[in-house]
Amino acid sequence: MFGFIIIMPALQILLFGWAIGGTPTDLDVSVVDDAQNMGSATLIGHLEGSDALLIEIEPDLDSARESVANGESWAVIHIHAEGNISVILDNSNQQVSNTVLLELRHALEYMGPESLPLTIEDPIYGSKDPAFIDFLAPGIMTLVCFMFSLILTTMAFVGERHDGTLDRIFAAGTQPGEVLLGHLAAFTVILVGQVSVVIAISVWGFDIPVEGSILLLFAVCLLLGWAAMCLGLVVSGKAKSEFQAMQINMPLIFPALLLSGILWPVQALPDWLQPVAWALPTTWTAEACRSIMIRGWGLESEPVWMAFLANAIFAGAMLLIAARTLKVRV
Amino acid sequence: MSAIRVRGLHRGYGPITVLSDLSMTVEAGSIYGLLGPSGCGKTTLLKVILGFLEPKAGSVEVSGAIPGSDVGYAPQEIALYPDLSIAETLRFHGRLHSMEPERILKRQDWLIDFLDLPAPTRTVGKLSGGEKRRVSLAVALLHEPSILLLDEPTVGVDPELRARIWKHMKEIAEGGTSIVITTHYIDEARQADCVGLMRHGRLLAEDSPEMVMNRQSAESLEEAFLVLCKREVRA
């Protein structure tokens, strides 16, 4: 039980952190230097200094193209005799292409404004070179808090509904609301543990910066956990067995993963899917977590207080539905 | 005076009818043996009496607050938390009935002795089937309710203990407790003050065991039930 409650969420967060959002390293890139001057040598020097790239100098453009064509390298960086630069990509993996282009931009920036008439100033929010994990972490934390609260509540409550223990408790004159609040209170202890583990691993384990208040982050995750628990109470009211409960949980967790702006911005969803996304408490929570962690915003900012409001409304509505399904079966 | 009065009760689940035009009377301070094969509607009837299910038609009158601390209910399923110890189980249910801790402990000692339960520190999930059933019974008896609804409490309990349970039922019935006990050990119901023979959601007969047997000129309740069933089939 302890394993499921604490180790599983920890493992999920660890796996996400290791697998997704890191910067690729040792990408083979071919460079053709037709300029052969100080500038091109410095640029190649900067490129070679990057951890992400493994530079291979090719004598001419044809052999460089050849190496991309047969998969030996990801890109050709061609420094023309006139000094301008062209890039030919193997664009089969967007993340790899982005990394190559980003590294090239960095190398050019080091060379000074005359080689690149474009300066990316320090951003207002976020770091200048954010790792993808910084964007992803708030969303993944949201997802893990949501998923485990939901699963835990449904599992525990479905059994109780169908093995007669709940009947015994109702025979004692207990009200449905009391039973539900009792469950929430008991699971809150577990939830506090889970949220602490998830935040601790993300923040200290993966060194993801938190610009705002960790306490506020904790509070919004806790509230999402409650909302998920209330949803879990509804699910266990509908399900006849633990197996059926899992069947209902799966189609709830998947939209939470895909529609909540966790992996991809909500703004990119088709118009008709937008309302669905904003009906999910995870969308509001992920947005708030990002605002707290990256922008360092507080409770006075709209995305943050909206998340508290959305989760509270969602939890309240679910609790009412759950209480109704527990009442006398007419 | 009757403790439970059911008149013209109809109840089913969706299109399925479980109880049709059922009437029963449980006298205060008596043991009512509700007999019948599984699926005949005994459990549904208990759930209507407990107020978990609303009757479609008919009336149910119960003397006392049901659900509440006036009733002790042992469901057919074991219905116990497997992770709790026996003592924790009793404390949990005792607190549900707002019992004082000292009273819970006193009742616990008595119940463990009477029902021959293992040590109170034992975890419920690790007990044998018969032991779990006795713990379930202990929970129903714990707060000394005035109405006891016991759904198959003697399944898997050894005959000596079964006799002891019936003896105790009689004692507390004399003290004023009204008891409904469902069973399919038909002959053990001879010890009840009144038996209801239930089949297909209705009572075929309701009377003292002696009267039921005499009317059908049967030697045993089993035989009386058989005669009544055959008559129902012919009708």
Side-chain angles (χ1 to χ4, degrees):
Chain A
M1 201 60 188
F2 175 78
F4 179 79
I5 291 167
I6 302 293
I7 310 283
M8 284 283 280
L11 213 61
Q12 291 273 4
I13 273 285
L14 283 171
L15 273 177
F16 269 115
W18 285 324
I20 300 172
T23 308
T25 52
D26 295 345
L27 302 170
D28 291 298
V29 169
S30 307
V31 173
V32 182
D33 182 8
D34 285 343
Q36 296 286 356
N37 54 22
M38 269 294 289
S40 68
T42 327
L43 178 65
I44 293 170
H46 281 308
L47 287 172
E48 280 174 334
S50 144
D51 284 340
L53 308 182
L54 217 60
I55 301 298
E56 184 75 30
I57 306 292
E58 293 285 341
D60 57 71
L61 190 56
D62 286 338
S63 64
R65 289 187 78 111
E66 183 78 18
S67 72
V68 175
N70 56 34
E72 284 162 20
S73 109
W74 285 101
V76 179
I77 296 176
H78 182 197
I79 309 169
H80 295 262
E82 302 79 34
N84 58 323
I85 297 166
S86 53
V87 179
I88 306 159
L89 290 166
D90 166 359
N91 216 352
S92 61
N93 187 320
Q94 202 180 15
Q95 292 304 329
V96 170
S97 300
N98 285 343
T99 307
V100 172
L101 292 173
L102 189 71
E103 291 301 320
L104 178 60
R105 200 194 80 205
H106 284 321
L108 287 169
E109 274 173 358
Y110 284 125
M111 313 250 316
E114 58 276 2
S115 61
L116 184 69
L118 166 76
T119 320
I120 310 278
E121 303 279 354
D122 280 336
I124 293 175
Y125 296 120
S127 65
K128 200 170 172 190
D129 299 306
F132 187 57
I133 194 172
D134 294 353
F135 163 79
L136 200 62
I140 296 301
M141 285 163 53
T142 302
L143 185 71
V144 170
C145 291
F146 176 78
M147 197 163 82
F148 281 93
S149 308
L150 177 65
I151 293 176
L152 187 69
T153 324
T154 34
M155 283 312 178
F157 204 47
V158 153
E160 197 162 318
R161 275 183 69 102
H162 295 286
D163 67 5
T165 33
L166 202 58
D167 282 345
R168 213 197 268 276
I169 289 167
F170 282 148
T174 315
Q175 294 301 311
E178 294 171 334
V179 172
L180 292 175
L181 290 178
H183 267 270
L184 284 186
F187 284 130
T188 300
V189 178
I190 296 167
L191 186 62
V192 167
Q194 279 186 348
V195 174
S196 308
V197 165
V198 165
I199 292 182
I201 292 180
S202 312
V203 175
W204 290 293
F206 288 102
D207 214 15
I208 294 162
V210 180
E211 297 296 330
S213 148
I214 287 200
L215 220 60
L216 196 60
L217 189 65
F218 186 86
V220 79
C221 287
L222 197 65
L223 200 63
L224 173 74
W226 274 324
M229 280 180 182
C230 296
L231 177 62
L233 292 174
V234 174
V235 170
S236 48
K238 302 283 175 202
K240 299 263 184 293
S241 64
E242 290 187 8
F243 179 68
Q244 223 180 53
M246 266 332 267
Q247 282 182 313
I248 303 176
N249 277 348
M250 277 306 159
L252 289 173
I253 291 170
F254 224 65
L257 169 68
L258 296 178
L259 301 181
S260 310
I262 288 171
L263 298 177
W264 206 254
V266 183
Q267 289 80 351
L269 288 177
D271 285 343
W272 60 272
L273 262 180
Q274 300 258 355
V276 182
W278 292 109
L280 299 169
T282 41
T283 309
W284 299 96
T285 312
E287 189 64 34
C289 285
R290 261 194 298 276
S291 290
I292 297 168
M293 291 174 73
I294 304 175
R295 292 171 168 155
W297 286 359
L299 196 54
E300 71 288 344
S301 72
E302 194 184 299
V304 179
W305 65 255
M306 273 302 285
F308 277 93
L309 189 67
N311 277 316
I313 292 173
F314 187 86
M318 289 302 140
L319 208 54
L320 279 180
I321 297 174
R324 274 183 66 108
T325 56
L326 271 184
K327 277 223 179 98
V328 179
R329 286 150 272 176
V330 182
Chain B
M1 200 188 76
S2 57
I4 302 171
R5 238 174 92 93
V6 177
R7 290 292 173 269
L9 178 66
H10 286 265
R11 172 69 214 201
Y13 300 96
I16 308 151
T17 304
V18 179
L19 304 173
S20 56
D21 196 22
L22 186 137
S23 299
M24 77 183 277
T25 310
V26 179
E27 295 301 329
S30 74
I31 304 178
Y32 190 106
L34 191 58
L35 304 179
S38 35
C40 73
K42 293 182 301 238
T43 299
T44 303
L45 176 58
L46 290 189
K47 287 190 173 175
V48 175
I49 294 172
L50 278 163
F52 296 168
L53 297 172
E54 267 179 9
K56 264 206 191 87
S59 67
V60 178
E61 289 164 37
V62 183
S63 71
I66 282 195
S69 287
D70 289 335
V71 66
Y73 171 53
Q76 199 172 1
E77 306 91 352
I78 298 292
L80 297 167
Y81 297 106
D83 301 323
L84 297 188
S85 72
I86 296 176
E88 286 165 341
T89 303
L90 293 177
R91 201 187 323 147
F92 173 75
H93 287 282
R95 293 303 297 153
L96 272 186
H97 292 289
S98 318
M99 286 168 74
E100 293 300 322
E102 304 88 66
R103 188 170 156 229
I104 297 174
L105 284 177
K106 248 169 109 182
R107 288 294 291 164
Q108 174 181 314
D109 290 344
W110 187 86
L111 287 163
I112 284 180
D113 178 56
F114 167 68
L115 291 169
D116 201 11
L117 292 173
T121 48
R122 291 277 303 277
T123 308
V124 170
K126 293 190 176 132
L127 301 178
S128 73
E131 286 169 333
K132 283 182 193 159
R133 192 153 290 285
R134 278 178 276 153
V135 176
S136 163
L137 189 59
V139 171
L141 296 173
L142 178 67
H143 54 292
E144 300 174 89
S146 62
I147 295 173
L148 266 177
L149 301 177
L150 308 176
D151 206 354
E152 310 255 0
T154 54
V155 172
V157 171
D158 103 337
E160 191 268 322
L161 184 64
R162 214 190 305 167
R164 209 131 51 91
I165 290 171
W166 272 94
K167 184 169 161 279
H168 176 65
M169 297 295 155
K170 282 186 203 159
E171 277 169 24
I172 57 177
E174 270 162 34
T177 307
S178 317
I179 305 164
V180 177
I181 181 165
T182 77
T183 177
H184 50 240
Y185 298 118
I186 291 181
D187 277 327
E188 81 176 5
R190 277 180 85 150
Q191 305 167 71
D193 297 302
C194 180
V195 291
L197 299 182
M198 198 169 172
R199 194 163 188 252
H200 299 321
R202 56 203 314 157
L203 285 187
L204 301 180
E206 181 185 60
D207 218 326
S208 69
E210 294 71 33
M211 283 301 283
V212 170
M213 287 186 287
N214 286 348
R215 283 229 184 103
Q216 313 308 329
S217 1
E219 300 276 297
S220 67
L221 271 178
E222 182 86 52
E223 196 189 332
F225 203 173
L226 193 67
V227 174
L228 284 163
C229 287
K230 280 183 180 156
R231 188 176 306 155
E232 196 211 10
V233 170
R234 252 178 274 134

